[in-house]
Structures are given as structure tokens and as C-alpha cells.
Amino acid sequence: MIDDEADRRALPGNGLPAERVLAEVRALRSADRPTHGGRLFAYVYDPAVPGLDELAAAAYAGSAHVNGLDPTAFPSLLAMENALVGAAARLLGGGPGSAAPDVVGSVTSGGTESLILAVKAARDAHPEIAAPRIVVPASAHAAFAKAAHYLRVAVDTVPVSASTLRPAAADVAAAIGPDTVLVACSAPSYAHGVVDPVAEIAEAAATAGVRCHVDACFGGWTLPYLRRLGADVPPFDFVVAGVTSISVDLHKYAYAPKGVSVLLHRDAALRAPQYFAYADWPGYTMVNPVIASTRSGGPIAAAYATLRHLGDDGYLRLAAATRDAVAGLADAVRAADGLRLMAEPESTVVCFTATDAGLDLFVLVDELAARGWHTQPQLSYADLPPSVHLTVTAAVAPRVAEFGPDLAAAVAATRAAGPVALPAELLTLATTLTPDALTPDLVAGLAAGLGLTGPAPAADSAGAEEAADPADPAVSGDGAGTAGPPPGRMAVVNTLLDAAPPALRERLLVEFVGLLQRPTW
């Protein structure tokens, strides 16, 4: 055990041996969801390629201290970034000999940054518009709302059909006004994995003289390969004349480490407003193509090494394995009593919902977690019901046969448990409370009552916090005699959030996360 309390801090009184520090990191990581093994259907992308992690880590380490702030000082990073942009452009219908030969781009830290910059470029291209607006489908990624919030741009949201889960191009066209600077669509949408009618939306945008951005962060690296494998993938990239920019995340289905995305523009003139330059101070003239100034070369080098190692043929094989896994998981859902697919899979997503009130999807998510399957619950929205989202990667393919029986068992257990019944006072709070009425004390009391807060885990002999996987059946328990949900059981919390309107959900989650993000003294 450690005698000196100061040794527990991130900055101890005396430096610690390297092995001790690495042991602490490993102990802390033991509480995380598994990033490999094909049982986590969100957040991570695993190709299950032997040696790829080690290759990417070595490339990352070799360039971790290289700074992307000045490409003339570190030409290696510039060369790798240009190579990544070129690869993405060729994959997405641009480059020499294509309909978009002059495509340019930038490497960003992730899809959110790419979308923020797409909105910035569109906004700054029209300084004469005092109150710029963007038009997005309701299914567009929340990062568009974040971009609008940061950049003081208004959002006009177009509803999606409850049956097709897509916006109607005519509705998008009708939403375009004189202050619209950008129209967005998804290929595919994250929530449901369906491709918007990009060609029709881009035509409407072009007719109005407005930019059209395709958010292909999620599917841009797989849809071209799925098309080559025979899938009926509609045109969504630079082949479509009205598409002016596309984003694609390399840390998703290009299987690069976090965080690398690419933002492409059809030509350099469209990209120009994306830059920020400033010379009116006594230091160096700042010129940034992206939000960050200093950028580690680690992620870019890791992505470069990943693409070079896997190659076009490797990505085609990984796409085939993923396609087969999607088909197997979809069959398991079809065979499960009381479940239905939200949409027939078009990409790498399986999304399903319940067909009767006796099957509580949030309880089902907990039951799947207890069996080692970590899925992503999605709350109801407008006339869309709650659903369960599965992001499928190549690593899932060997586990597909195990999923069907576990899903059937989880459905049976869910029916036996019955739906979550919120206490009357919580239901009243969720349906009547306004975001402004929430106080930190009220949220803290609510979190404690739901079992979301409690004493910190005890430190082990290395000074690190040990934490068991809350989804492990051995620690999840059945909740008997507890004030809130057992560890890893989130059905009550998700039910409460689902009952609340979106504005209250946002405030509740901000406050909950704020309770978690406290300094360690």
C-alpha cells in the first residue's frame, strides 16, 4: 500500500518508475469496455488484423512530437497528410481523370472538426449574409448543431420519414432560403445507417446556388468498397455534380487510431474560407487550415501507416467480412420475437426496435451487456421509437454465430423482468421540469437516487483505481434492495431520459457528466 497520499496524484511529490506508471495505466484501462474482440458495437473500430495495432503505435510514436503547425519545418507530416487527402479523394470520386479533378482537403482531428470547418467555410464564403443558416435533416449528426452553436449559425431541420428514415429532397429544397449557406446530407446517417437522397438534395442546393456537404464520416470509407462487392449504393460522392464538400473519418472504417478525419472540397476556392490567418501581432504569422494550431504528427503518421499496410485489397476484404457480419446480425434480429429492423441494412449498421410494449429495449440493452455484448441505446425522437444501434466492424464476423442465441436469451430475460416503471415523482420531473429549474443540488440528488454516483473505487497497491467491468454478470446483480440501478444497469436512467423532452435531456446529461468530471486532488 502507498503511505504518501501525494503519490496518488497525477503530479506526485517524487517521480515514479516507468513500470509503475504503466501498471497504473493498465489498471485504469481494465475498467473500460473492450476495444477488441467484436463485442462492442459503438465507439471503436476493430479490423482484427494481426500486427496492425503495433504498426500504428510505432508510426504514431515516431511522429508524436512532430508539429503540424508549420509544414515547412516538418515536410514529412505535410507529405503524409497530402497522401491521406489524395487517397480519400480518389476513393470518393475525385482526383485526376474524374469529374472533380481539383479536389483539395485537410486532415482534422475527427468528424466533428470536419463538420465544423465545412460550416465555417460555407459561412465565411458569404460575409454579406448577416444571419447565415444551414439546412440539415433531423437525422444529421449532432456535430452540425455543435458547429452552428459555435459559429452562431441558425439550423433549419428537415424531418425524416418514419418509414424511410430519410428526408424528402422536396422538403430540403423548400427549406432553402436567401440566408442559407450550406445544405447537408448523410452517407449514411449514423443512427440508422441509411443513405440520404444525396443526388436530389445536391441538385436542389446547386439550383439555389448553395453549397452541399455530404457527411460521409461514418460510411465514406466503406460505401465505395461495398459498391464494388455488389451492393446497391446510390451516388453520394463527387460523382454528384452538386456535392461541394465531403468528410470521411479515417479512424472509423479506415481503421486508423483516433483521431483522424479528412475534409475534402471540390476545389481550392471552396476551401479558402476554411483557413484562419493572423499577422497583426508581434509573433509569427499564424496560418491554420484547421481549428488546432499545434497538431501532433502521431495520428497522421499512424493513419498513413495503416492505409499503406492494409492497401486497397485489404480494405475490400474487410468490407466483405463486415458485410457478412451485418447480414448475420440482421438475420438474428429478424428471428428474435418482438424485434424488428428499423431499416434494411445498407451499410455497416444494424438498428432495431421493439414491436410490442412488453419488451423494454433499455432493459434488453442491459441484458445484452450482461452477456458481454455492448450496444448503443438510442432514445425516441419525434415519431421515431427508441432503438438499439450496432456499429458493425470486421472483428464482429467471427462472433456472429454467438449473437443470435444470446439475443434470444436476452429477449426472454427482458420479457421476464418486464418494462421499467419510473416512480411517479421521477416521471413528473421528467415531463414537467424545465431545464432552467434544474439546480446542481437537484441533479446531484437525482444522480445519487439513481445510483449514478458513489464513493470512489479503492486504490490498489500500485496507486491505481481498480474497477470491475460493470457489464460483467458477476458484478451487475439484480438490483434487489438498492436505491438505484445495479452497476452496469442503465435501463432506469435511459427510461428517465427517454421520458424527458430533448432540452431537458441535454441539461440533465450536462449536469450528470459535470458530476463525473471532477479534479482528483
Side-chain angles (χ1 to χ4, degrees):
M1 298 297 290
I2 295 173
D3 296 324
D4 185 0
E5 182 67 26
D7 276 355
R8 301 180 189 275
R9 300 172 185 165
L11 183 63
N14 297 295
L16 305 177
E19 280 307 313
R20 157 94 176 264
V21 175
L22 292 175
E24 292 177 356
V25 172
R26 287 191 293 268
L28 289 167
R29 283 278 291 112
S30 69
D32 294 343
R33 292 285 187 259
T35 58
H36 294 79
R39 285 177 168 265
L40 179 59
F41 291 108
Y43 311 119
V44 299
Y45 297 81
D46 178 16
V49 174
L52 185 61
D53 282 358
E54 292 76 12
L55 170 67
Y60 192 113
S63 295
H65 297 290
V66 174
N67 191 346
L69 175 62
D70 186 348
T72 65
F74 302 104
S76 66
L77 195 59
L78 177 64
M80 288 187 282
E81 182 169 357
N82 285 341
L84 294 177
V85 169
R90 287 178 181 275
L91 193 65
L92 294 170
S98 74
D102 301 319
V103 169
V104 294
S106 305
V107 174
T108 74
S109 63
T112 294
E113 185 179 3
S114 289
L115 297 187
I116 290 174
L117 289 169
V119 174
K120 178 194 181 298
R123 182 200 67 175
D124 290 359
H126 290 281
E128 77 282 2
I129 298 179
R133 312 182 71 88
I134 62 174
V135 174
V136 304
S139 55
H141 197 280
F144 282 109
K146 186 175 183 178
H149 176 73
Y150 281 4
L151 299 170
R152 297 186 181 277
V153 172
V155 180
D156 293 314
T157 302
V158 177
V160 298
S161 164
S163 57
T164 68
L165 305 174
R166 299 175 175 84
D171 292 342
V172 174
I176 300 173
D179 294 330
T180 302
V181 296
L182 182 70
V183 173
C185 45
S186 305
S189 63
Y190 176 84
H192 307 116
V194 299
V195 179
D196 288 340
V198 173
E200 293 86 347
I201 290 173
E203 182 180 9
T207 300
V210 175
R211 296 184 183 210
C212 178
H213 179 79
V214 177
D215 175 14
C217 290
F218 189 66
W221 205 266
T222 54
L223 290 174
Y225 288 106
L226 292 174
R227 180 187 286 128
R228 285 167 56 180
L229 291 167
D232 183 18
V233 177
F236 72 92
D237 53 20
F238 286 119
V239 171
V240 179
V243 170
T244 55
S245 57
I246 305 175
S247 51
V248 55
D249 287 359
L250 304 189
H251 61 215
K252 289 189 171 71
Y253 286 100
Y255 294 113
K258 310 289 184 185
V260 188
S261 177
V262 173
L263 172 59
L264 302 170
H265 294 275
R266 186 174 281 271
D267 58 51
L270 290 167
R271 182 179 63 173
Q274 175 186 312
Y275 282 82
F276 175 82
Y278 191 77
D280 193 14
W281 75 305
Y284 64 92
T285 298
M286 177 182 286
V287 182
N288 298 145
V290 296
I291 293 174
S293 293
T294 289
R295 290 188 294 157
S296 168
I300 292 175
Y304 178 83
T306 300
L307 266 64
R308 296 282 293 167
H309 182 61
L310 291 177
D312 184 69
D313 60 336
Y315 283 115
L316 190 64
R317 289 194 300 272
L318 291 170
T322 305
R323 173 202 58 189
D324 294 344
V326 166
L329 295 173
D331 285 343
V333 172
R334 294 187 191 98
D337 180 34
L339 298 179
R340 70 170 177 87
L341 294 168
M342 288 287 289
E344 286 299 316
E346 296 181 5
S347 54
T348 56
V349 172
V350 175
C351 183
F352 61 89
T353 188
T355 57
D356 63 77
L359 188 60
D360 190 323
L361 279 183
F362 302 135
V363 176
L364 178 62
V365 166
D366 287 348
E367 291 295 338
L368 285 170
R371 290 162 176 78
W373 301 97
H374 308 292
T375 62
Q376 191 170 54
Q378 299 181 144
L379 305 179
S380 58
Y381 173 82
D383 54 355
L384 300 178
S387 60
V388 178
H389 169 104
L390 309 181
T391 291
V392 186
T393 65
V396 175
R399 315 305 295 266
V400 169
E402 305 166 33
F403 183 76
D406 280 351
L407 178 62
V411 166
T414 300
R415 288 193 185 281
V420 167
L422 286 178
E425 61 272 17
L426 280 184
L427 186 59
T428 299
L429 278 176
T431 55
T432 63
L433 197 63
T434 63
D436 291 341
L438 281 179
T439 65
D441 287 344
L442 177 60
V443 173
L446 182 60
L450 292 172
L452 297 179
T453 57
D460 69 2
S461 59
E465 293 179 347
E466 290 273 2
D469 184 349
D472 190 321
V475 298
S476 62
D478 61 8
T482 61
R489 299 278 174 166
M490 295 296 292
V492 173
V493 176
N494 286 322
T495 302
L496 173 66
L497 292 172
D498 195 60
L504 185 58
R505 288 178 193 170
E506 293 166 1
R507 180 64 188 278
L508 280 168
L509 287 171
V510 165
E511 295 294 339
F512 282 156
V513 173
L515 289 172
L516 297 175
Q517 293 183 319
R518 300 286 185 174
T520 301
W521 300 112

